[in-house]
Amino acid sequence: ATTGSISVTSNPSYASVYIDDAYYGTTNPGHPLLANNIAAGSHTVKVSLSGYDDSVSSVAVNSGQTTTVNANLAGGAPG
């Protein structure tokens, strides 16, 4: 296979996950968002939650492997 997977968790949870600007879903507590059939190579993962700063990271996906992304979102100040 020439594809791998990306497992995404975020703090806080319920954040939207985008891989190469494509929406993949939201993170849940204790249940990472698993994006399958991601082409091997470099990809941009953005984790976005209203009221917080976006977390953007560049990750390398290897064929047949799962790359884990842990996003800690900054912000959350009232107002």
Side-chain angles (χ1 to χ4, degrees):
T2 56
T3 61
S5 302
I6 299 177
S7 172
V8 183
T9 58
S10 72
N11 178 30
S13 299
Y14 306 112
S16 300
V17 176
Y18 300 85
I19 301 174
D20 297 334
D21 293 326
Y23 176 71
Y24 274 80
T26 58
T27 60
N28 289 289
H31 187 78
L33 174 76
L34 185 61
N36 295 307
N37 299 317
I38 305 298
S42 180
H43 297 275
T44 300
V45 177
K46 181 174 81 167
V47 181
S48 178
L49 183 63
S50 180
Y52 292 82
D53 295 334
D54 290 349
S55 169
V56 180
S57 53
S58 180
V59 300
V61 174
N62 296 309
S63 178
Q65 297 183 12
T66 300
T67 299
T68 301
V69 175
N70 297 309
N72 286 305
L73 303 179

